[in-house]
């Protein structure tokens, strides 16, 4: 779909099932546009097939040329499968030829799940320049940290120059202000050269509200369902075969064209699909097939609030075959244990006891009643490998779902011992860990929600919506204006702070050491290690055994001494080997940690 360079020509193809005539209009340097009529393709399964597309090959058109489609005698519209919107979502599409990119990663095989340590970042705020090329300059410090895989928040084209990425309207187009598809290719190639994998967060549950021309081409959306963010994507209604093809081809294209190592599918619980073959399972199978052909490890990870073990159960056992799923249960239980927060979605979690339940059973809610959902929630997942659950103490949502976008325990500063507990509970857990950018050195910059919409009415609606979202809780400090450029600028990272502050540098040292322990300890590297999790008051103890070696992780979330002999443990968040000595130096925190509640 879209524009494909073929020698000295470009082939244009678009799905528009209700159109009687379709033209492509190519801009030319002399100002006189070239208009070419497209012809219907042969239907794939009958004379009335809704899968039929319109196509034409136009000589003399190549990379860099800009174009739009016209349906019947209507407006000029950008391409639903545009690879680049150089003038923004309201402008023309640009022909891009990614096949000419000089890749240097021929020997790259990807990162397997058991070696994956994720690092979520937002391209726009990761560096002051907010581009892929600028982000390349930060890769060495991620390698030094010990993460193995970068997870990039959505980069498909969105309105303006600043956005979280979930308001994107062209699934195939890489945001121009970040550097476009070729900038993304440079970033991926550079990451692979340093041994880092790259995932992309993709949004297939809705499209953004501004600049979305897809409904004018065909029934990409459905009125049968809705999402909190806009119309639901049509993956199960009439003509949904073509919508699925559009999205699945997009997912596969990220793997084949941009050499990505994995995808994170946003909020699949908002994709309503009662069909016999779930859309997400079909997409996952297609991505895995493309990975096999490329002879690379490519992972499909899922965000879902459903606690449905079928998502990460193999296809042969009746599951969807996805590689991993985010575990909000781990985050929520950990946050309550650290902070005592009980508002909104934290209300259904008890803290340390529930954290232990999640460690034992992958997540907390496995079919019992949930106060948040007002019903029984979740399913048993004891049969699923712990590594197929992604755990974190921070991410974009849980920082952004506060009025000012404050990070976890921001009031305590980098010296807050609870940050060390959060790090140990994430990085030494049996799950696949994920860090949120800047967490590793206690970055003070917030990560509030921000937009750059051009429609004043839409801007006001977003501002009012954010104020309304936080009106029911006694928050302090007001609500960050999502449309203010200052809100965006205040979120930009400053990793150089570790050069000016011993406290921030000490946090970074701890993260490095914990990741080293995770990578090297013989028990923590064994997915089949036996595990025993106990709770005594606010103290959670995890004993893991493998091949005669035992590791002990002790997390004290209380404000009292845990009553442990100093000869048994030096800190309340550490790993011990069978000799009783700490496995690796955790200086400068070699004394007991006391956590104020």
């Amino acid at each position: 779909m879209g524009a494909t360079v073929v020698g000295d020509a470009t082939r244009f193809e678009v799905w528009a099932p209700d159109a009687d005539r379709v033209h492509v209009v190519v801009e030319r340097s002399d100002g006189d546009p070239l208009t070419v009529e497209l012809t219907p393709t042969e239907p794939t399964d009958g004379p009335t097939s809704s899968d039929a597309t319109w196509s034409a090959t136009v000589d003399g058109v190549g990379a860099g040329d800009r174009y739009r489609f016209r349906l019947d005698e209507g407006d000029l519209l950008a391409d639903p499968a545009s690879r680049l919107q150089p003038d923004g979502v309201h402008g023309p599409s640009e022909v891009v030829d990614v096949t000419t990119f000089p890749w240097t990663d021929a020997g790259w095989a990807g990162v397997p799940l058991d070696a994956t340590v994720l690092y979520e970042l937002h391209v726009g705020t990761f560096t002051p320049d907010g581009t892929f090329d600028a982000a390349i300059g930060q890769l060495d410090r991620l390698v030094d940290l010990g993460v193995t895989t970068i997870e990039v928040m959505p980069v498909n084209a969105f309105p303006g120059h600043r956005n979280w990425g979930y308001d994107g309207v062209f699934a195939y187009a890489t945001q121009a202000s970040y550097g476009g598809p070729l900038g993304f290719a440079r970033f991926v190639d550079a990451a692979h050269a340093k041994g880092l994998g790259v995932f992309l967060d993709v949004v297939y549950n809705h499209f953004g509200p501004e600049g979305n021309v897809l409904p004018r081409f065909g029934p990409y959306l459905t009125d049968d369902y809705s999402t909190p963010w806009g119309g639901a994507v049509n993956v199960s209604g009439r003509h949904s075969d073509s919508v699925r093809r559009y999205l699945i081809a997009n997912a596969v294209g990220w793997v084949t064209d941009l050499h990505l190592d994995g995808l994170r599918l946003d909020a699949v619980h908002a994709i309503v699909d009662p069909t016999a073959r779930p859309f997400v399972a079909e997409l996952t199978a297609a991505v895995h097939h493309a990975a096999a052909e490329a002879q690379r490890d490519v992972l499909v990870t899922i965000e879902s609030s459903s606690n449905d073990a079928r998502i990460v159960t193999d296809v042969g056992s009746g599951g969807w075959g996805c590689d991993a799923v985010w575990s909000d249960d781990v985050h929520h239980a950990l946050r309550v244990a650290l902070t005592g927060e009980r508002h909104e979605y934290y209300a259904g979690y008890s803290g340390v006891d529930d954290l232990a339940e999640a460690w034992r059973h992958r997540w907390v809610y496995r079919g019992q009643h949930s106060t948040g959902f007002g019903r029984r929630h979740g399913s048993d997942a004891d049969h699923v490998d712990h590594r197929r659950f992604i755990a974190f103490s921070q991410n974009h949502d849980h920082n952004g779902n506060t009025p000012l976008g404050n990070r976890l325990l921001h009031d305590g500063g980098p010296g807050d011992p609870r940050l060390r507990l959060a790090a140990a509970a994430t990085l030494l857990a049996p799950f696949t860990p994920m860090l949120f950018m800047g967490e590793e050195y206690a970055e003070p910059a917030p990560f509030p929600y921000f937009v750059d919409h051009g429609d004043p009415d839409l801007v006001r609606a977003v501002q009012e919506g954010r104020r309304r979202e936080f009106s029911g809780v006694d928050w302090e400090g007001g609500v960050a204006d999502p449309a203010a450029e200052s809100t965006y600028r205040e979120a930009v990272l400053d990793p150089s702070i570790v050069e000016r502050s011993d406290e921030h540098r000490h946090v970074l040292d701890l993260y490095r050491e914990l990741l080293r322990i995770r990578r090297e300890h013989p028990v923590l590297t064994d997915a089949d290690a036996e595990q025993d999790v106990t709770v005594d008051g606010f103290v959670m103890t995890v004993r893991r055994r493998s091949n005669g070696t035992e590791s002990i992780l002790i997390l004290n979330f209380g404000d009292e001494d845990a009553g442990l002999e100093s000869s048994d443990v030096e800190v309340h968040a550490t790993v011990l080997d069978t000799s009783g000595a700490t496995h690796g130096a955790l200086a400068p925190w070699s004394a007991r940690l006391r956590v104020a509640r």
Side-chain angles (χ1 to χ4, degrees):
M1 303 292 286
T4 305
V5 176
V6 184
D8 295 329
T10 296
R11 182 178 186 273
F12 297 94
E13 183 172 1
V14 66
W15 178 58
D18 296 326
D20 293 321
R21 299 179 68 191
V22 178
H23 292 83
V24 61
V25 180
V26 182
E27 295 182 3
R28 298 199 293 193
S29 57
D30 60 9
D32 187 16
L34 172 65
T35 301
V36 177
E37 185 168 1
L38 279 61
T39 59
T41 60
E42 288 294 324
T44 59
D45 51 13
T48 60
S49 170
S50 63
D51 283 330
T53 59
W54 301 80
S55 65
T57 300
V58 184
D59 292 332
V61 175
D65 288 326
R66 300 181 180 187
Y67 67 98
R68 290 184 174 100
F69 290 118
R70 175 178 281 127
L71 307 182
D72 299 323
E73 301 305 319
D75 299 330
L76 291 174
L77 303 173
D79 181 1
S82 167
R83 266 60 173 185
L84 179 63
Q85 293 295 118
D87 299 325
V89 297
H90 299 291
S93 304
E94 181 174 310
V95 179
V96 176
D97 186 6
V98 296
T99 65
T100 62
F101 184 80
W103 292 98
T104 64
D105 64 349
W108 177 252
V111 180
L113 181 62
D114 60 4
T116 297
V117 177
L118 291 163
Y119 185 94
E120 185 186 26
L121 66 81
H122 177 269
V123 174
T125 58
F126 188 55
T127 66
D129 289 342
T131 65
F132 292 117
D133 287 331
I136 290 173
Q138 298 294 315
L139 294 179
D140 284 337
R141 71 176 181 85
L142 300 187
V143 173
D144 179 67
L145 172 62
V147 300
T148 66
T149 305
I150 300 163
E151 181 172 301
V152 180
M153 288 177 63
V155 300
N156 54 306
F158 53 74
H161 292 83
R162 55 186 187 272
N163 196 288
W164 271 22
Y166 300 94
D167 289 319
V169 290
F170 293 98
Y172 289 70
T174 307
Q175 175 68 10
S177 60
Y178 290 168
L182 297 182
F184 199 8
R186 289 191 294 272
F187 176 79
V188 174
D189 197 48
H192 288 173
K194 296 181 182 297
L196 294 169
V198 181
F199 283 17
L200 178 64
D201 191 340
V202 291
V203 185
Y204 296 146
N205 52 58
H206 76 289
F207 296 101
E210 182 178 345
N212 183 12
V213 298
L214 271 65
R216 300 182 67 175
F217 283 86
Y220 285 90
L221 303 179
T222 176
D223 293 329
D224 294 338
Y225 314 103
S226 63
T227 77
W229 319 286
V233 176
N234 175 25
V235 299
S236 61
R238 292 178 61 83
H239 307 312
S240 60
D241 287 345
S242 291
V243 179
R244 287 185 177 221
R245 180 179 63 172
Y246 170 85
L247 297 174
I248 291 172
N250 173 249
V252 171
W254 291 119
V255 174
T256 57
D257 297 343
L258 274 297
H259 293 201
L260 293 185
D261 304 288
L263 301 174
R264 179 263 191 187
L265 273 61
D266 177 66
V268 301
H269 52 266
I271 301 175
V272 181
D273 181 12
T275 64
R277 188 179 189 191
F279 160 71
V280 174
E282 185 178 2
L283 181 148
T284 300
V287 169
H288 285 164
H289 178 74
E293 290 196 331
Q295 297 183 325
R296 283 190 286 125
D297 281 305
V298 179
L299 307 178
V300 178
T301 66
I302 303 297
E303 181 198 19
S304 173
S305 65
S306 65
N307 283 23
D308 187 344
R310 289 176 297 180
I311 294 173
V312 283
T313 298
D314 293 334
V315 174
S317 299
W320 293 5
C322 304
D323 296 289
V325 62
W326 281 28
S327 179
D328 274 341
D329 275 10
V330 173
H331 171 271
H332 296 351
L334 176 59
R335 184 149 185 156
V336 172
L338 291 167
T339 69
E341 292 180 66
R342 300 304 298 271
H343 60 78
E344 298 182 304
Y345 46 72
Y346 300 127
Y349 294 85
S350 65
V352 182
D353 287 331
D354 276 347
L355 182 62
E357 281 293 282
W359 278 54
R360 297 183 189 112
H361 302 291
R362 286 56 167 174
W363 42 45
V364 176
Y365 286 96
R366 310 179 304 281
Q368 64 269 50
H369 185 270
S370 161
T371 57
F373 287 92
R375 56 167 170 76
R376 288 178 294 175
H377 180 63
S379 65
D380 176 75
D382 284 356
H383 63 287
V384 183
D385 189 331
H386 276 89
R387 293 173 298 184
R388 298 182 80 163
F389 298 82
I390 296 172
F392 39 83
S393 64
Q394 301 186 50
N395 66 24
H396 69 275
D397 269 332
H398 300 309
N399 291 340
N401 288 347
T402 61
L404 298 175
N406 288 325
R407 292 168 177 262
L408 177 67
L409 303 169
H410 70 285
D411 288 338
D416 192 328
R418 292 174 297 175
L419 286 176
R420 302 162 210 159
L421 292 176
T426 303
L427 301 183
L428 301 183
F431 311 107
T432 293
M434 184 179 76
L435 286 65
F436 182 66
M437 60 176 191
E439 169 192 340
E440 71 276 14
Y441 58 86
E443 168 66 58
F447 191 71
Y449 182 67
F450 45 79
V451 298
D452 189 20
H453 293 308
D455 181 348
D457 291 336
L458 182 56
V459 169
R460 282 191 292 272
V462 172
Q463 291 168 327
E464 292 170 2
R466 290 292 285 180
R467 289 192 291 268
R468 188 166 54 251
E469 179 180 355
F470 300 113
S471 62
V473 181
D474 184 20
W475 298 94
E476 296 181 0
V479 179
D481 180 357
E485 185 172 358
S486 59
T487 300
Y488 166 78
R489 290 296 173 193
E490 289 168 2
V492 175
L493 300 191
D494 179 16
S496 70
I497 197 170
V498 300
E499 301 168 8
R500 306 186 302 272
S501 165
D502 288 343
E503 284 192 316
H504 287 279
R505 187 175 66 256
H506 292 162
V507 175
L508 178 60
D509 289 342
L510 175 66
Y511 270 78
R512 285 195 190 113
E513 180 63 11
L514 290 175
L515 283 172
R516 186 193 67 78
I517 292 172
R518 179 186 181 87
R519 186 171 60 247
E520 296 179 3
H521 195 284
V523 176
L524 300 187
T525 57
D526 183 2
D528 297 321
E530 297 179 11
Q531 176 180 263
D532 180 35
V533 184
T534 59
V535 175
D536 182 7
F538 291 110
V539 178
M540 174 173 144
T541 301
V542 183
R543 295 179 179 267
R544 301 179 70 191
R545 303 172 186 85
S546 172
N547 298 318
T549 301
E550 181 179 59
S551 73
I552 307 174
L553 173 65
I554 303 172
L555 301 174
N556 178 14
F557 294 94
D559 57 3
E560 299 292 334
D561 191 294
L564 302 167
E565 296 296 332
S566 59
S567 60
D568 294 331
V569 61
E570 292 187 3
V571 295
H572 291 169
T574 190
V575 175
L576 305 182
D577 62 25
T578 51
S579 69
T582 55
H583 185 85
L586 289 177
W589 297 291
S590 59
R592 295 183 180 278
L593 303 182
R594 294 181 182 273
V595 180
R597 293 183 60 80

